[in-house]
Amino acid sequence: MRTNRSMPRSPVIPELVYPDVGDAVAWLCDAFGFVERWTAGDHRAQLAVGEGAVVVMAGDGGGRRTPESGTLTHGVMVRVEDVDSHHARAKRRGARILDAPTDFPYGERQYNAEDLAGHRWTFSQTIADVAPEDWGGQSGQRS
């Protein structure tokens, strides 16, 4: 798998929604010893957990809402080698495609799908090695 400074090497990355991303980052780093990898404004951050990562995000869009709303509060990100082939297979096999494969400035090509139980999945292929500062993010202590 290609490397990208904006993504960890881990193939699975949980995405968790919090009412306040900054408060969540501070608490998770303090309480669990996570380390900030990067932030994107006040709506998204990636924290290092050993060799893996957790994405902390605001409850805005993508069907993800804050825990208070009583709806979806998480997603799972999976890194794949070929997102277009993965997307085609998922679509053929009945996954509900929420967003078609799209290139993003942070060096990833991604699509979003929903499984048979309504769980949200993001599948991501690295297409470039991009520093967070190059797409408007900010590197943390560990990048």
Side-chain angles (χ1 to χ4, degrees), residues 9-30:
R9 296 186 61 76
S10 176
V12 178
I13 304 163
E15 298 175 301
L16 304 174
V17 172
Y18 290 88
D20 186 294
V21 170
D23 287 348
V25 168
W27 191 92
L28 292 166
C29 289
D30 182 54

Side-chain angles (χ1 to χ4, degrees), residues 38-128:
W38 55 256
T39 58
D42 62 356
H43 69 280
R44 200 167 178 92
Q46 189 180 98
L47 307 178
V49 182
E51 293 300 313
V54 172
V55 171
V56 175
M57 58 190 186
D60 59 351
R64 299 170 179 114
R65 302 285 182 256
T66 60
E68 290 79 27
S69 72
T71 59
L72 187 64
T73 61
H74 66 281
V76 178
M77 182 182 296
V78 179
R79 297 184 72 204
V80 298
E81 289 285 341
D82 181 347
V83 82
D84 293 303
S85 294
H86 194 281
H87 169 261
R89 175 192 168 117
K91 190 173 182 179
R92 278 194 316 270
R93 306 249 173 132
R96 180 173 169 235
I97 305 302
L98 304 173
D99 300 295
T102 304
D103 293 352
F104 290 96
Y106 46 85
E108 297 296 306
R109 180 166 175 77
Q110 300 175 331
Y111 80 94
N112 295 298
E114 190 174 82
D115 70 16
L116 71 167
H119 298 113
R120 305 290 171 111
W121 296 81
T122 299
F123 294 94
S124 187
Q125 173 188 348
T126 295
I127 56 175

